[in-house]
Amino acid sequence: MDFLSSDNLAGQNLLSIVSRGSAIIAELLRLSDNIPSVFYLADKADQAKYGPLLHDFSYLRSMELYENRINSDPVLIDLDEEFRESHIQLLERFFKLFESVYKYVKDLTRYLEDVEEGVYIQHRIEDILASDSGKQLLAEAYYLYGLMLTLMDNRIEGPVRERMLICYYRYKGSSDSHSAVCNMFRSSGYLPSSQKRPPRYPEDFFARLAPPIPVARMVINRLRSDDIYSQMKEWPNPEHRCTALATQAAILYIILFFVPDILHKEFATMREIVDKHFSDNWVISFYMGFVVDLSVMWEPYKAASSALKNTTETKLVKEIHRAQLERVEEQLRQLSEYLTEGILVEEFILDQGHKILNCLRNSNAAIRWTMLHRNCKNKKLRDVVSAGPNPEKILLLLMRTAQLEFKVGDLYKTLLEGKEARWNKAKEECEDRLKELSHFFSGDQMLTRATKDDKLKEWFANLATEVASLDHQDSTLAGRKMQQLAAALEDVEQFHQIETNSHVKHFLADARSFLKQMVRIVNVKEQMLITLAAIGDLSYAFDIISDFVHLMHQQIKRDPFSVLLLRATFLKLASVLELPLIRINQAGSEDLTSVAEYYSSQLVAFVRRVLEVVPVNVFLILNEIISVQTSSMKQIPSRLERAQLKEYAQMEERYKLARSTHQVSVFTEGILAMEKTLMGIVEVDPKQLLQEGIRKELVRQISMALHGILIFSSGKVEEFEARLEELRRNLDGFRLSFEYISDYINLYGLKIWQEEFTRIVDFNVEQECNVFLKKKTYPWDSRFQSAAIPVPLFAPVDDHSVSFVGRLLREILLQTDSHRTLFLTSHSGWFDMTGREIFGIRTCAILHRSLGTAGIRGLDKTISFMIVRDLNDVMRFYRRQVLEGLKVLLPELQSELNPTTTLPAMAARIYSNALARTNRLWPWLSEVLARIGQAQLLRRHFAAELNFMGKLDSATLSGALEVMNQALLSDIAMHYKQPETHAYPSEEKQLLPQLAPFLDALGLSCPMLKIYVTTEPLEGVACFIALFVISLAPILSYNKKLGTLLVKDRNLNLDGSTLIVGVATFLRQFHMSNTHKFIAYLAQYVRCQIIISAKDAKLQELPLEVNNILIFLGEFCRYGEISRSLVRQHLPPYVFDKFPVQ
């Protein structure tokens, strides 16, 4: 029974373990690319902020001490909760990775124990190692486990692993395997960035939880003696033995660390291993481009280093290096001959296939040796191998080899597909020739002088019958017969009747030619493609080929059509998928898709890196076009005098423009000429690649402009507006030129511009808003981020903002700060004390011209998060300072003032006592409410600008959305009035969530009516806020000329309008009854003050406090969009309407 048969339980279980190992490695590589930088604690800022939360295993010795330190600090508690929310999913995934490695080795060990105990009848370790598939799987099982440990230490450093495991333990608690996992993955002391290697590394790391060592020895012995993957038949030349056994050598390198005694003491064994696997190479790839220099890695091991000295002897290294140099030159010459136009045709492939294969074997062996040994770490040996060949020749050899493999493979596939048809046609032609010859010698043909010969007639008829009986399915028998037939046809030419007849000889030559063609066709087998794939494997260069990217870029710059040659190289690199997927595919594992997607995405990412030189150069040329269009070219007027034609012709400038445009089209022509290519399971479309490359470079250029220009230092409005104007000029020139070239590169320029600009803004807004969220959205998790078209994230310029969005918004908040400006409703803007407008409708228009709709929406969203933060601060302040700090005062005050329809006895004493006891709370509260009001007023300005521009730029859409909005609001209102007959808009159709972004983009939303936070009802909040307003009444004054309330206290420097809007916004977060109570309390205070003032005969006017409260209520109703009739329910109209709405 075959070891991999579906009925063989032992084979299927081992295959399942190995396939799981391949999937674990893919997950390890995927996760290691996404480790949050905070776990490294690399910079001082991270150490200061997260150091108290992130601990190594020293935490386990003093858990209570560390936890008490966190729990005693409210800031650390909040930070810990925030960190948990942001990282818990990632930590769970990393722990599953660590645990899966632990379970893998436990399952492997259990499997080997079961084999030894006879659980799998008729299967022992010796039997498994005697089977071709069995010895492969058993070697791979050990190899994959060692590979997991090696990659784990190289990709996820020991201190990082410890911090992750401790974090997981703190947040999720312990589990059955947690202590074992921690013991297995504690830091080994090795750091990839360090030049020093810990003593007894990596053997001690491998020994922490090692599978059975005796079995490992048996596997090593099998690898020493056998060619377990049967690669020698693909590489028959003895010079290529190390190349043929490269996969097996990588497995040996890893497994030997499980049995370090061999490396240390067994000189004969190591000599045998080195002579067989490392006789002419000492730098190997142990897994998909991960390279190791054995002369360095085996230095601490006596037996290993002694055995390797024969290979690394300077004289031998020089000889090997010289031979490789000669081989590279020779192969370049041969490849050039084979790739000459017209050489590679089907007949040539059929005749010279073996020579081509030998050429490809030599080329691939030379490529492997030169690429790997460029990464030699031994200084003495590096000086020898670095002398040549130069990287350009290696790349040229790689490209030509890949191109020849691609062409030969393509032709061979065509031959295989048409093999039967070609065979039948050649057989029929040969049969016809022989039948005609038979008929010729029958003597029945007219007008010929042929002598009748019955024997020749019968002989040729028999040959025709033999040819007709040939079957290409049995290639061996058919080939032998055809050779005999061809020999017979050659011998028959010696007969006198035939020798003197040129017509017959011509027919015989045709028959022999067809027989020869049939021999070549019958030898066309799929084995040729298998051999091509085996010798063309490039998985060893998966990582190190990145060193050649800059050379590929130079090649494309010199000749844009060289991308067609690189396409074959990309296809050759796709062989990397074979190694990790073969066992997963055989096992029918569900991991196949995810693993294939990961490696395919890595391949596509490499292709993008290579081809991104095209868009980069396009944008370099675009800068010239921008310069010409914005600086040199004059705008042609609608009417032009004849005399001015020459002036506006600007021939020199237009020539520059045309030349640059031509260069752009040439650069993109090569990539557009590429065909679609399947890289793993991902199809690469060259047009899509070009578009993604253009988008990537566009995003980079726009992001750099936004980041570089929007930096403010002086805090002056002149600098603020100058920066916005500079940004507008920069982006306008860029956009116009990008639209100009879009036709020449076959792309929708304006569409791409708008999509990418919006994505840049949205991404930066999202990152800026992370500051206000407990659960962070990391860049790689952002829905606005893309692996193919990444939005750059620059280092913060200041201590407060993450991106240009935060810097711009904070500059706007600084310019409109209530301590230095006043908001004047009548002028819809902020003015300084000299009467100069600082921010208003004009400034919003400048913002819109610079950043567009997307930019203003981004600012609006960010400022909304700031409002939410401030409102939450006020809520927390109220709970802590009022509900807890004034437990007695507030209930007493409410009981004395209620009901609000009456006047309390001794009102003056009640108010003065309450104000005196709460006086310390007002400064902080007034600051925060003023900040909320300022933000709300800015949001109103943003919405007004968006609405105005929306009506100008797309009146139809704006009108349609307004009507739709009103219709929906009417439907919802009718639903609450008559729920039985009017249904609420269906939530399944997602109409409201889909409509909201359109309304926000057109400014069809009112910030004053927004509910920013949800909270439990706060006892007495209306009474408290009313008391706050009453405390402000004496220090406010109404300026009739400006039409606004001013604060007389210079120490406060607050703007009355922002305070009113802040109060209205805060109360809007609660049920409307709180607003009604607030108005009732203020109205009650006004009535009390009027009654008190009426007792003083000298007073002819209402007291200042009353006037200010009345004005406050009027503005409160206007800003909060509250009906004035609510106030009139508590105050006589002749009192309240003394200050009519403006």
Side-chain angles (χ1 to χ4, degrees):
M1 183 188 295
D2 182 49
F3 189 70
L4 287 181
S5 168
S6 58
D7 298 332
N8 191 327
L9 190 59
Q12 288 300 310
N13 284 351
L14 185 55
L15 177 62
S16 175
I17 290 172
V18 172
S19 74
R20 184 149 51 95
S22 296
I24 290 170
I25 288 173
E27 177 72 355
L28 191 158
L29 295 173
R30 185 188 292 116
L31 286 180
S32 65
D33 290 333
N34 293 291
I35 300 174
S37 60
V38 66
F39 283 100
Y40 288 95
L41 294 180
D43 55 57
K44 291 183 179 179
D46 282 345
Q47 291 171 12
K49 185 174 182 180
Y50 295 104
L53 303 181
L54 299 177
H55 308 288
D56 56 22
F57 284 174
S58 61
Y59 169 90
L60 298 173
R61 292 193 295 269
S62 309
M63 283 190 289
E64 290 185 6
L65 176 65
Y66 286 111
E67 288 300 326
N68 289 337
R69 193 176 296 169
I70 294 171
N71 294 329
S72 62
D73 188 342
V75 176
L76 283 179
I77 292 173
D78 290 343
L79 184 64
D80 193 38
E81 181 62 26
E82 177 186 299
F83 191 85
R84 181 186 186 281
E85 288 290 328
S86 301
H87 294 85
I88 189 62
Q89 291 182 349
L90 197 64
L91 288 170
E92 287 175 349
R93 195 165 171 184
F94 269 100
F95 184 77
K96 284 180 181 177
L97 169 67
F98 300 146
E99 191 176 39
S100 63
V101 177
Y102 169 74
K103 288 181 177 178
Y104 174 89
V105 68
K106 295 297 286 185
D107 289 348
L108 175 59
T109 304
R110 167 60 62 185
Y111 172 84
L112 295 173
E113 289 172 354
D114 287 347
V115 171
E116 288 294 328
E117 291 170 5
V119 172
Y120 303 103
I121 300 172
Q122 296 181 343
H123 281 291
R124 295 176 302 161
I125 298 296
E126 293 81 357
D127 299 325
I128 294 174
L129 288 172
S131 160
D132 288 341
S133 299
K135 61 188 174 187
Q136 290 175 12
L137 286 175
L138 203 53
E140 287 170 19
Y142 273 83
Y143 164 67
L144 288 173
Y145 175 55
L147 192 58
M148 291 174 207
L149 299 179
T150 304
L151 293 179
M152 187 73 74
D153 238 14
N154 277 277
R155 299 296 293 264
I156 310 174
E157 297 176 0
V160 173
R161 295 197 301 268
E162 291 193 1
R163 291 178 192 126
M164 286 182 169
L165 287 166
I166 293 300
C167 274
Y168 181 85
Y169 174 73
R170 289 187 59 238
Y171 297 145
K172 298 290 289 185
S174 185
S175 61
D176 295 339
S177 59
H178 190 271
S179 59
V181 169
C182 287
N183 182 57
M184 184 178 183
F185 290 112
R186 69 183 188 275
S187 177
S188 64
Y190 171 74
L191 292 175
S193 57
S194 174
Q195 298 295 325
K196 292 184 178 180
R197 185 167 136 205
R200 297 181 55 80
Y201 179 86
E203 56 264 35
D204 283 354
F205 187 40
F206 277 48
R208 287 180 182 175
L209 192 62
I213 301 304
V215 179
R217 276 188 171 274
M218 296 171 73
V219 171
I220 291 171
N221 288 333
R222 184 62 65 176
L223 289 168
R224 282 167 53 198
S225 59
D226 291 359
D227 171 17
I228 66 170
Y229 292 105
S230 305
Q231 287 295 296
M232 292 299 291
K233 67 179 181 181
E234 311 295 354
W235 300 83
N237 191 332
E239 292 182 0
H240 299 153
R241 183 178 60 184
C242 291
T243 305
L245 300 176
T247 304
Q248 178 166 323
I251 295 175
L252 255 175
Y253 164 74
I254 294 292
I255 298 181
L256 280 169
F257 289 119
F258 287 112
V259 194
D261 284 350
I262 296 177
L263 292 166
H264 281 292
K265 303 173 184 176
E266 299 186 18
F267 289 85
T269 303
M270 285 307 303
R271 180 62 185 270
E272 184 182 348
I273 288 171
V274 169
D275 287 348
K276 182 177 180 180
H277 299 89
F278 310 111
S279 59
D280 65 355
N281 68 97
W282 62 94
V283 180
I284 65 167
S285 168
F286 62 87
Y287 183 75
M288 292 175 62
F290 290 97
V291 174
V292 62
D293 185 340
L294 297 181
S295 65
V296 175
M297 198 65 191
W298 281 356
E299 190 176 3
Y301 310 103
K302 289 183 180 179
S305 59
S306 174
L308 195 64
K309 279 180 182 177
N310 293 326
T311 302
T312 56
E313 186 183 356
T314 306
K315 184 179 178 181
L316 180 59
V317 169
K318 287 180 178 179
E319 289 180 8
I320 295 171
H321 181 248
R322 181 181 52 77
Q324 294 297 339
L325 283 176
E326 292 173 358
R327 183 182 289 177
V328 167
E329 296 294 339
E330 174 63 21
Q331 294 313 118
L332 282 172
R333 184 188 62 75
Q334 281 192 25
L335 289 168
S336 181
E337 291 175 3
Y338 286 135
L339 290 172
T340 302
E341 189 70 31
I343 296 295
L344 283 178
V345 293
E346 292 178 358
E347 289 75 15
F348 185 82
I349 296 290
L350 290 171
D351 285 339
Q352 306 293 330
H354 64 288
K355 290 185 178 179
I356 293 173
L357 274 182
N358 285 332
C359 173
L360 290 174
R361 287 187 181 105
N362 289 327
S363 299
N364 277 292
I367 293 168
R368 173 185 280 269
W369 196 94
T370 50
M371 287 187 77
L372 287 175
H373 286 78
R374 288 181 74 247
N375 294 273
C376 179
K377 301 299 182 185
N378 187 313
K379 186 179 184 303
K380 182 180 176 183
L381 301 179
R382 187 171 64 239
D383 292 340
V384 176
V385 298
S386 61
N390 62 52
E392 287 83 359
K393 283 191 176 179
I394 299 174
L395 178 61
L396 183 61
L397 180 62
L398 173 62
M399 291 167 65
R400 286 183 180 176
T401 304
Q403 186 71 1
L404 182 60
E405 287 175 358
F406 174 71
K407 286 189 173 183
V408 171
D410 212 33
L411 282 169
Y412 224 79
K413 286 175 185 174
T414 305
L415 288 171
L416 277 171
E417 288 170 1
K419 178 178 178 179
E420 187 173 355
R422 290 166 184 272
W423 164 272
N424 290 332
K425 184 178 178 181
K427 187 171 75 169
E428 288 171 7
E429 291 287 346
C430 184
E431 186 181 353
D432 288 346
R433 296 294 188 281
L434 294 172
K435 283 180 178 179
E436 287 177 22
L437 286 169
S438 175
H439 189 55
F440 177 82
F441 285 104
S442 68
D444 296 338
Q445 283 187 318
M446 301 297 292
L447 301 177
T448 64
R449 295 182 180 182
T451 305
K452 183 175 180 181
D453 192 326
D454 291 333
K455 288 185 177 180
L456 282 175
K457 171 191 170 185
E458 185 180 353
W459 189 76
F460 279 116
N462 288 336
L463 282 184
T465 305
E466 285 290 328
V467 169
S469 68
L470 292 173
D471 183 8
H472 72 89
Q473 300 290 344
D474 189 352
S475 59
T476 306
L477 179 62
R480 191 182 307 118
K481 277 188 176 182
M482 284 185 289
Q483 287 175 351
Q484 292 170 355
L485 289 169
L489 289 174
E490 196 168 341
D491 292 341
V492 81
E493 277 194 19
Q494 308 301 320
F495 286 22
H496 176 71
Q497 301 95 312
I498 295 174
E499 188 179 22
T500 57
N501 193 322
S502 61
H503 190 60
V504 173
K505 289 176 73 175
H506 178 71
F507 266 69
L508 283 172
D510 280 354
R512 286 200 306 273
S513 173
F514 284 119
L515 279 172
K516 184 179 179 181
Q517 189 175 348
M518 289 167 67
V519 170
R520 290 186 302 187
I521 292 171
V522 82
N523 286 324
V524 174
K525 299 175 184 176
E526 200 168 346
Q527 181 60 38
M528 174 76 164
L529 293 177
I530 295 171
T531 302
L532 268 178
I535 65 177
D537 175 48
L538 197 63
S539 60
Y540 62 88
F542 187 53
D543 188 55
I544 58 178
I545 199 171
S546 300
D547 299 340
F548 294 85
V549 169
H550 71 285
L551 296 176
M552 296 179 186
H553 287 172
Q554 292 173 10
Q555 179 74 18
I556 295 171
K557 284 180 185 178
R558 286 194 297 268
D559 178 15
F561 280 90
S562 62
V563 295
L564 301 178
L565 198 60
L566 283 170
R567 176 174 179 261
T569 310
F570 299 150
L571 286 169
K572 183 177 175 68
L573 193 60
S575 60
V576 72
L577 287 167
E578 180 70 17
L579 181 63
L581 290 182
I582 183 169
R583 300 305 183 191
I584 297 176
N585 194 24
Q586 286 177 340
S589 171
E590 295 178 353
D591 296 320
L592 179 65
T593 304
S594 67
V595 175
E597 281 179 354
Y598 170 70
Y599 289 110
S600 298
S601 67
Q602 296 295 303
L603 285 171
V604 174
F606 174 76
V607 174
R608 285 197 184 98
R609 280 181 58 201
V610 173
L611 298 183
E612 72 181 6
V613 67
V614 175
V616 167
N617 280 277
V618 165
F619 275 81
L620 288 175
I621 301 167
L622 186 63
N623 289 331
E624 297 177 17
I625 296 174
I626 293 170
S627 176
V628 172
Q629 285 194 323
T630 57
S631 304
S632 307
M633 296 289 291
K634 294 180 181 178
Q635 191 73 27
I636 299 178
S638 55
R639 298 182 67 182
L640 186 64
E641 292 183 10
R642 184 176 179 180
Q644 294 178 306
L645 277 175
K646 187 174 182 180
E647 179 186 349
Y648 281 96
Q650 295 183 280
M651 303 303 291
E652 183 67 28
E653 285 76 11
R654 293 188 188 280
Y655 169 72
K656 289 180 182 177
L657 193 63
R659 184 185 61 191
S660 299
T661 307
H662 175 258
Q663 288 175 338
V664 167
S665 62
V666 167
F667 255 112
T668 56
E669 196 173 357
I671 193 171
L672 290 174
M674 277 179 68
E675 298 177 9
K676 291 183 178 180
T677 306
L678 192 67
M679 301 294 289
I681 62 170
V682 178
E683 186 180 60
V684 175
D685 183 352
K687 185 175 179 181
Q688 183 185 353
L689 273 184
L690 175 62
Q691 185 179 118
E692 288 177 351
I694 293 286
R695 284 177 180 262
K696 179 181 178 180
E697 189 60 20
L698 176 67
V699 166
R700 191 180 72 83
Q701 297 273 5
I702 294 174
S703 297
M704 287 176 63
L706 291 167
H707 175 73
I709 295 174
L710 294 179
I711 296 176
F712 309 96
S713 56
S714 67
K716 294 180 180 179
V717 69
E718 291 83 4
E719 184 203 25
F720 173 69
E721 293 185 0
R723 292 287 186 186
L724 290 178
E725 189 60 29
E726 181 186 353
L727 180 66
R728 182 195 64 76
R729 287 196 306 270
N730 191 301
L731 294 183
D732 278 356
F734 208 75
R735 178 175 53 80
L736 290 171
S737 299
F738 187 67
E739 289 178 39
Y740 168 76
I741 68 162
S742 60
D743 289 337
Y744 299 96
I745 55 179
N746 195 24
L747 295 175
Y748 298 108
L750 186 59
K751 176 176 179 284
I752 290 173
W753 174 277
Q754 290 173 341
E755 287 176 351
E756 295 307 324
F757 190 86
T758 302
R759 191 168 67 89
I760 291 167
V761 173
D762 288 342
F763 174 75
N764 281 279
V765 167
E766 183 182 65
Q767 296 306 303
E768 193 69 44
C769 292
N770 269 341
V771 178
F772 310 110
L773 298 172
K774 281 189 175 181
K775 187 175 182 180
K776 313 292 185 189
T777 303
Y778 286 97
W780 58 84
D781 283 334
S782 172
R783 63 192 177 97
F784 303 112
Q785 187 60 288
S786 164
I789 315 165
V791 180
L793 191 62
F794 301 97
V797 174
D798 56 48
D799 296 334
H800 308 290
S801 304
V802 175
S803 66
F804 72 90
V805 175
R807 294 197 301 274
L808 178 58
L809 184 56
R810 284 177 174 84
E811 184 65 20
I812 292 172
L813 290 170
L814 176 65
Q815 298 295 332
T816 58
D817 187 9
S818 57
H819 291 86
R820 53 194 286 184
T821 59
L822 284 176
F823 179 77
L824 301 183
T825 307
S826 56
H827 292 74
S828 293
W830 281 263
F831 291 77
D832 63 13
M833 299 310 170
T834 65
R836 181 179 59 159
E837 183 182 295
I838 302 298
F839 191 96
I841 296 172
R842 181 184 63 85
T843 320
C844 283
I846 295 173
L847 270 174
H848 193 275
R849 288 196 297 270
S850 301
L851 293 171
T853 299
I856 292 182
R857 283 184 62 200
L859 292 172
D860 184 68
K861 182 176 180 180
T862 309
I863 207 168
S864 299
F865 274 88
M866 289 183 172
I867 293 171
V868 171
R869 177 199 61 191
D870 288 339
L871 285 170
N872 281 323
D873 286 346
V874 176
M875 304 288 185
R876 281 194 293 270
F877 167 83
Y878 188 83
R879 291 188 183 95
R880 187 172 60 252
Q881 298 291 341
V882 179
L883 294 182
E884 294 178 11
L886 301 174
K887 290 181 180 178
V888 179
L889 173 65
L890 202 59
E892 285 181 356
L893 182 62
Q894 289 184 91
S895 64
E896 289 172 341
L897 296 180
N898 287 330
T900 55
T901 52
T902 63
L903 298 179
M906 303 179 71
R909 183 186 63 79
I910 292 171
Y911 288 120
S912 61
N913 182 45
L915 290 171
R917 293 175 64 181
T918 56
N919 193 43
R920 60 184 175 82
L921 304 178
W922 308 137
W924 184 88
L925 185 61
S926 59
E927 284 282 347
V928 179
L929 290 178
R931 205 158 58 226
I932 294 170
Q934 176 193 6
Q936 283 284 70
L937 290 171
L938 283 170
R939 288 202 69 200
R940 285 211 323 174
H941 271 65
F942 294 156
E945 176 65 23
L946 290 174
N947 188 247
F948 175 71
M949 295 306 297
K951 288 178 178 177
L952 282 181
D953 295 338
S954 56
T956 305
L957 176 63
S958 179
L961 284 170
E962 284 187 17
V963 172
M964 183 70 175
N965 188 35
Q966 290 299 327
L968 267 175
L969 291 174
S970 299
D971 282 354
I972 293 169
M974 288 302 296
H975 165 74
Y976 284 109
K977 288 181 181 178
Q978 300 176 7
E980 297 83 7
T981 56
H982 291 80
Y984 192 82
S986 173
E987 293 184 6
E988 294 179 2
K989 295 181 179 179
Q990 297 285 304
L991 179 59
L992 294 177
Q994 289 177 13
L995 184 63
F998 288 96
L999 298 177
D1000 289 338
L1002 281 170
L1004 293 174
S1005 56
C1006 179
M1008 295 304 303
L1009 300 179
K1010 291 282 185 185
I1011 305 296
Y1012 291 98
V1013 296
T1014 55
T1015 179
E1016 296 293 326
L1018 298 180
E1019 182 64 31
V1021 69
C1023 180
F1024 179 76
I1025 296 299
L1027 192 62
F1028 166 66
V1029 174
I1030 292 169
S1031 74
L1032 294 175
I1035 60 172
L1036 292 173
S1037 66
Y1038 181 69
N1039 189 310
K1040 291 183 179 180
K1041 183 179 179 181
L1042 299 177
T1044 186
L1045 283 169
L1046 304 176
V1047 178
K1048 292 187 292 184
D1049 189 346
R1050 291 188 177 181
N1051 294 325
L1052 287 177
N1053 256 349
L1054 293 177
D1055 183 357
S1057 299
T1058 58
L1059 273 173
I1060 294 167
V1061 175
V1063 169
T1065 303
F1066 178 68
L1067 289 173
R1068 176 67 67 176
Q1069 310 313 303
F1070 303 94
H1071 192 270
M1072 200 61 191
S1073 61
N1074 286 286
T1075 302
H1076 292 181
K1077 289 180 182 178
F1078 167 75
I1079 292 172
Y1081 281 124
L1082 287 183
Q1084 184 187 46
Y1085 174 78
V1086 168
R1087 295 200 307 274
C1088 287
Q1089 293 301 314
I1090 291 174
I1091 295 298
I1092 292 170
S1093 63
K1095 297 176 182 179
D1096 190 348
K1098 295 180 181 180
L1099 288 175
Q1100 300 297 318
E1101 296 288 336
L1102 292 176
L1104 175 65
E1105 292 85 347
V1106 172
N1107 286 341
N1108 289 338
I1109 295 294
L1110 292 174
I1111 294 167
F1112 187 99
L1113 284 170
E1115 295 291 290
F1116 179 82
C1117 292
R1118 185 164 63 83
Y1119 281 121
E1121 300 195 14
I1122 299 167
S1123 173
R1124 291 171 66 87
S1125 61
L1126 281 177
V1127 183
R1128 294 194 187 103
Q1129 291 175 12
H1130 304 280
L1131 283 176
Y1134 64 84
V1135 174
F1136 182 49
D1137 293 340
K1138 180 181 178 183
F1139 299 96
V1141 68
Q1142 298 181 15

